Amino acid sequence: MKLPSLAYLSKNAWDAFSRFPLMLLSALLFVLLGIDMVEKGKDAEEVLPELNLLLCAGLGISLYFCSGVIAGKKAYTLKGK
C-alpha cells in the first residue's frame, strides 16, 4: 500500500479547514477539554462546568458540519444574496 505524500495531506487538510472551520475548532475544543478532564481526575461535581462546555462542543461538531453542508448545497454566501 502506497502512503500519501505530505503535500497531498496538507492540501486536503487545508481544504477541509477552509470548508468546515467552526466544526474543526469545536472538535479541537472537545478533545482538549476531554483530555483536561481525564488528566484532572476530579469528582463529577468539581468538573461539572467543564463537562457542560465539553458537551456543548460535542454538539457543535454536528451542528457546524450540517450547517456547512446545507450552506454548500444551497450556495449561500456571506453577502446573503
Side-chain angles (χ1 to χ4, degrees):
M1 181 172 100
K2 187 176 179 181
L3 295 175
S5 67
L6 289 177
Y8 175 78
L9 290 175
S10 65
K11 181 194 175 302
N12 284 340
W14 180 252
D15 290 343
F17 183 76
S18 64
R19 186 170 178 199
F20 303 109
L22 293 175
M23 184 202 71
L24 291 173
L25 291 175
S26 182
L28 179 66
L29 179 65
F30 183 80
V31 168
L32 292 176
L33 282 171
I35 290 171
D36 185 53
M37 287 177 60
V38 167
E39 289 296 320
K40 283 183 180 176
K42 295 182 180 178
D43 291 335
E45 290 97 16
E46 295 176 6
V47 294
L48 192 59
E50 293 170 347
L51 180 63
N52 289 337
L53 187 58
L54 177 93
L55 294 174
C56 287
L59 287 172
I61 296 170
S62 59
L63 172 74
Y64 293 133
F65 176 74
C66 291
S67 62
V69 169
I70 289 171
K73 280 192 173 236
K74 303 273 184 180
Y76 292 138
T77 61
L78 292 176
K79 295 179 183 177
K81 293 185 180 182

